[in-house]
Structures are given as C-alpha cells and as structure tokens.
C-alpha cells in the first residue's frame, strides 16, 4: 500500500482508546486493504501521559491538552474517547469546525447535546460517526440507519447496557452479590467512569435516545426516556421470576403507536424461552421490528475495549473512505434528513400497558390470596401466576404474582387498594413483564 496514511488523533487512552490503538496495529494490513490507505494514529491525548498503557504508542505524540489534538493541522480524523459532556463537546465542535470528521463513543454527549453537535458538524461540512455509542461492538446504528432504511420501524427493544446485564447474570447464575458483580464489571472495563450511569439505567437511556432518534426520525431528547435502573432488583425477585419461568433483564424499549411513542428503560421480566432471556453477561441484543422486514435481532458484545474498538474502527474506515467527498452525499447522522427530523409525542408511563410482576410482604394469615385477587378482579385484572412464600426466619411472608396485560393507570389503582389491606406490610417489588409476541 503506497498511498500516504490517513492521520488519526485519539483523544482518550482508556479502555476503548487503548483497544483502538491495539486493533489498528493488529489488523493494520486488513484495514488498509479496506480503506485503500493505512490508518495511522499520529497524535493522542490523556490526562496522564506517563501512565503505562496496554498498547504501542511508539511514534504517537501524546499530550495532556486534548484541544491541541482536536485542532492539530496534521490530523485528518479525530476520535473522541474521553466521555462526558464537557470538554468532549467543545473538542468535537473544535474538530468539526476545522473540517475534521469525528468518531465518538460518547452516548452521554450525543443523547444530551447531540442536536447541537450534529448541527456543528453540518456547518463544518463533515460527519460525526458514533457506532460505538450504542451496544459496543454490535453494528446496530448501521443496521437501523442504513440496512432498515426501507422500513417504517415500529418498535425496538433490547439489552443495551453490558454492565447491568453482567451484574444480573452473575447474581442469577453464580449467586454473586450486586456489589461484587459491579466491581468485576468495573475491573473488566465494562462500566462507565461513574458506574451510577450504568446501574441507574442512565447509560441505557442515553443509548435508547439515540436508537429512537434513528429509528423514528425524532430529535435527540434524553429527558424523554422514563428510566429505572437495577439497584432495587433483589436476589429474591430474580429467584421468584425464575420459578415463574422468567429472567429479569434491564431493557430499553421504544415503541411507536398512533398516540405517540413509548420510551422506557427498566428491569423487566422476560420469558426464559425468549431470545432476550438467553443474552447473558456482557452481551447485548437489540430486536428491531420493521413493517416490511418483520423482526430483526442483533447480538454481540456490548462493552469492553476490543469489542468497542471494533465499532470505532468501522466508523474510522467509513470516514476515511469518504474524506474529501461531497458532504451532501453522506448518510444523515440521525438516519433522516435533518429538516425531516420531527418531534413525536412521548406517552406517560400511566398510559402504557404491560403485564406486571408484584411482590408484597404480608402477614402470615388466612385469606391473603383471596383478598388480593378480589381487588385485582374488581379492576378487571386477571392473575396469570401467583406464589405464596412462608415466612423465613424473621422475615415476613411474601406473595408474588404476575398479572395480565393492563394499563399502568389501572394497575396503580389496584395497587393502592392492595397496599391499604391491613395484612400487607410493604409493596416489596413491582416490575413490568414483556413478552414481545
Ligand atoms: P476510560 O475512563 O477508561 O478512559 C478515558 C480516557 O480519557 C483516559 O485515558 C483519560 O486519561 C482520558 N481523559 C479523560 N478526561 C480527559 C481530559 N480532560 N483530557 C485528556 N484526556 C482525558 O473510558 P472508556 O475508554 O471506558 O470510555 C470512553 C468513551 O467510550 C466513553 O464515552 C464511554 O461511554 C464510551 N464507551 C465505553 C465502552 C466501554 O466498554 N468501556 C463501550 C462503549 C462506549 P487517563 O487515562 O490519563 O486518566
Ligand atoms: N458502560 C457501558 C455498558 C459501556 O456497560 O454497556 C458500553 O456502552
């Protein structure tokens, strides 16, 4: 390959940044054959340039000021891998303002401020590529934005946070504690710099924001996703769900109906025979339903240095191939032409129907089940499964049940009445159940 290399500046040499450098080196010949020219990292930035890194930095100028990389005249493409809103946003805006295309894995920035950042890229006549921002190494952005462009997308649902899926799997399969499983996920490089983003569902909400935008052609609006994380999921609920024939997974769900869109992230019971129930550990999966193609499923590693580097480099290859091309011919960042992106009404949770899993702590006395089911029946909610657990040690007795599909509003009215019953000590857990059939 005799053509001059394309010069890449990498801002951030953490889990993903090091993965990118390793993979660019290991697969250099294969990548150059795809691009037509080699990709060479010439500049990089990190907070501590002296820190040992698990990648070869020979020939790379490593600085502490990331803005010098974003503005560097001898860099053709900038890769932003520091995460967070600021200074990542200013760095990307500086790069695109100088006509440099950018690759980023920063879902927090795109979900919170993507409309602004993409507008800056359009002004600069360049693209921002972000395959790594959703579901790690799975090419889900390209699949939805380009591969499904002939469809009206009706729904997508998936496991889109590797850390949470790893924690839930470890709790279920190995009986590991939440805290220990989270520590392992951090050690393995899956978790965000602040892991609250993972376990409170915010990272999944950021990813769902991006997916909904490219699926439905709506502007990015992270605030429109109702979000609940996994911190209140107990080993007991995992075990009872299993008895009922379900697994608990943190799902991101986006559905489009006549009244508006549902955008929600929450722990969900899924039947143990479903595809999503079988997605374990750091693996992610996204199911997309298009009106022509039907159901499409994507599956793979959702976090970690090498898997995420795979997606970053796919974007680098795309941008490298397009260097110097007419920007009006580029694939629109959010799949729809910018002037065709339109807000859609987002439905409140009270209007959303699903089945529910409910666990109540109750006094150990006669008539508990019949009084609970009588309230549900009065609200026209049927019970699909019910289980009563005797008190264990000092613990109260528990009743757990799964309802038929019902709007949350109606379920909430029944729940209020159940919680008023004198033998009910506490509403211990309430989760949605989704079957996707
Ligand atoms: P890390 O925390 O491992 O790495 C961040 C890197 O950025 C570090 O090298 C750090 O320097 C550097 N850095 C941070 N702030 C600055 C600054 N102001 N100036 C210069 N350098 C800075 O993060 P990850 O690699 O895990 O994640 C990077 C991005 O990729 C994030 O947006 C994340 O959400 C996203 N992502 C991560 C995935 C993963 O599996 N980890 C998967 C998909 C996306 P130093 O090392 O010296 O401290
Ligand atoms: N912290 C994220 C996760 C990284 O666990 O899924 C991948 O985006």
């Amino acid at each position: 390959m005799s053509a001059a290399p394309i010069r890449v500046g990498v801002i951030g040499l953490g889990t993903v940044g090091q993965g990118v450098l390793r993979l660019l080196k290991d697969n250099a010949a294969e990548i150059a054959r795809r691009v037509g020219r080699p990709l060479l990292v010439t500049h990089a930035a990190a907070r501590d340039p002296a820190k040992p890194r698990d990648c070869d930095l020979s020939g790379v100028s490593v600085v502490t000021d990331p803005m010098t990389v974003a503005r560097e005249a001898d860099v053709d493409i900038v890769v932003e891998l520091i995460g967070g809103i600021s200074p990542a946003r200013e760095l990307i805006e500086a790069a695109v303002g100088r006509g440099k295309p950018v690759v980023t894995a920063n879902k927090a920035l795109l979900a919170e401020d993507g409309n602004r950042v993409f507008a800056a890229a359009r002004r600069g006549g360049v693209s921002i590529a972000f395959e790594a921002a959703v579901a790690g190494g799975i090419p889900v952005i390209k699949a939805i934005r380009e591969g499904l462009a002939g469809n009206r997308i009706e729904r997508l649902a998936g496991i889109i946070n590797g850390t949470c899926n790893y924690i839930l799997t470890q709790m279920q399969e190995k009986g590991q504690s939440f805290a220990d499983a989270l520590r392992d996920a951090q050690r393995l490089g899956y978790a965000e710099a602040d892991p609250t983003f993972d376990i409170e569902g915010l990272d999944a909400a950021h990813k769902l924001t991006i997916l909904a935008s490219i699926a439905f052609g709506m502007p990015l609006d992270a605030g429109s996703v109702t979000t609940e994380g996994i911190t209140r999921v107990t080993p007991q609920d995992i075990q009872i769900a299993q008895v009922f024939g379900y697994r608990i997974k943190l799902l991101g769900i986006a559905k489009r109906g006549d009244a508006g869109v549902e955008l929600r992230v929450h722990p969900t019971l899924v039947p143990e025979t479903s595809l999503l129930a079988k997605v374990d550990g750091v693996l992610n999966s996204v199911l997309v339903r298009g009106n022509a193609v039907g159901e499409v499923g994507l599956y793979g590693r959702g976090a970690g240095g090498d898997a995420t580097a795979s997606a970053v480099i796919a974007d680098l290859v795309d941008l490298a191939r397009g260097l110097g091309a007419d920007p009006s011919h580029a694939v629109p960042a959010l799949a729809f032409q910018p002037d065709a992106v339109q807000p859609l009404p987002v439905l409140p949770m009270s209007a959303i129907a699903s089945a529910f899993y409910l666990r109540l702590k109750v006094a150990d006395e006669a008539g508990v089940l019949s009084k609970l089911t009588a309230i549900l029946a009065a609200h026209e909610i049927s019970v699909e499964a019910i289980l009563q657990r005797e008190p264990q040690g000092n613990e109260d007795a528990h009743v757990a049940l799964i309802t038929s599909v019902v709007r949350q509003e109606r379920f909430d009215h029944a729940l209020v009445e159940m919680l008023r019953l004198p033998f009910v000590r506490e509403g211990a857990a309430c989760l949605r159940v989704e079957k996707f059939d």
Side-chain angles (χ1 to χ4, degrees), residues 107 132-133 135-136 160-164 190-192 198 203 207 284 302-303:
K107 54 269 173 154
I160 47 179
N161 184 271
T163 300
C164 288
Y190 303 156
E192 294 302 298
D198 296 294
D203 176 75
K207 292 166 177 165
N284 280 193

Side-chain angles (χ1 to χ4, degrees), residues 10-19 44-53 63-67 80-84 86-88 91 104-109 131-137 163 188-194 198 203 207 282 302-309 311-312:
V10 177
I11 301 177
L13 291 173
T15 303
V16 183
Q18 293 172 73
R47 275 182 299 226
D48 176 4
K51 200 194 261 186
R53 311 274 169 187
V63 296
T64 51
D65 179 4
M67 197 51 95
E80 181 277 306
L81 296 172
I82 64 172
S86 187
L91 294 167
T104 181
N106 193 335
K107 54 269 173 154
L109 172 64
E131 184 63 69
V134 181
T163 300
L188 292 163
Y190 303 156
E192 294 302 298
D194 174 357
D198 296 294
D203 176 75
K207 292 166 177 165
V282 72
D306 291 345
T308 311
V312 169

Side-chain angles (χ1 to χ4, degrees), residues 62-231:
V62 184
V63 296
T64 51
D65 179 4
M67 197 51 95
T68 61
V69 178
R71 292 181 176 151
E72 172 60 53
D74 288 338
V75 160
D76 302 305
I77 304 176
V78 172
V79 181
E80 181 277 306
L81 296 172
I82 64 172
I85 308 296
S86 187
R89 181 183 55 212
E90 292 76 11
L91 294 167
I92 292 177
E93 287 179 343
V96 297
R98 281 164 179 73
K100 297 179 200 301
V102 169
V103 180
T104 181
N106 193 335
K107 54 269 173 154
L109 172 64
L110 296 182
E112 300 284 349
D113 238 350
N115 302 314
R116 166 178 160 173
V117 186
F118 288 125
R122 285 196 295 279
R123 287 195 298 278
V126 288
S127 298
I128 297 173
F130 54 95
E131 184 63 69
V134 181
I138 309 175
V140 61
I141 301 293
K142 206 172 187 68
I144 296 175
R145 192 172 57 183
E146 294 161 54
L148 299 178
N151 288 261
R152 176 183 159 87
I153 294 173
E154 297 165 343
R155 187 206 71 203
L156 54 87
I159 295 171
I160 47 179
N161 184 271
T163 300
C164 288
N165 205 46
Y166 179 83
I167 293 171
L168 292 173
T169 306
Q170 291 294 104
M171 286 169 74
Q172 165 126 29
E173 304 287 324
K174 309 257 167 69
Q176 200 177 14
S177 73
F178 186 101
D180 285 350
L182 172 59
R183 243 190 313 277
D184 282 354
Q186 289 178 287
R187 182 177 48 78
L188 292 163
Y190 303 156
E192 294 302 298
D194 174 357
T196 347
F197 277 82
D198 296 294
I199 61 178
E200 295 297 355
L202 301 169
D203 176 75
H206 288 148
K207 292 166 177 165
L208 190 74
T209 303
I210 296 170
L211 289 177
S213 185
I214 62 167
F216 305 147
M218 58 194 290
L220 295 152
D221 178 11
S224 59
V225 180
T226 300
T227 306
E228 183 190 333
I230 61 164
T231 50

Side-chain angles (χ1 to χ4, degrees), residues 4 17 117 176 193 207 226 231 289 324 347 358 360-361 365-366 411:
V117 186
Q176 200 177 14
K207 292 166 177 165
T226 300
T231 50
R289 192 168 65 204
L347 298 176
L358 176 67
L360 299 169
K361 275 189 193 175
E365 57 184 59
F411 177 78

Side-chain angles (χ1 to χ4, degrees), residues 309-334:
S310 161
V312 169
I313 292 171
D315 278 347
L316 265 172
V317 168
D318 261 358
L319 294 179
R321 285 172 175 151
L323 280 178
D326 180 343
S328 68
H329 295 162
V331 177
L334 294 178

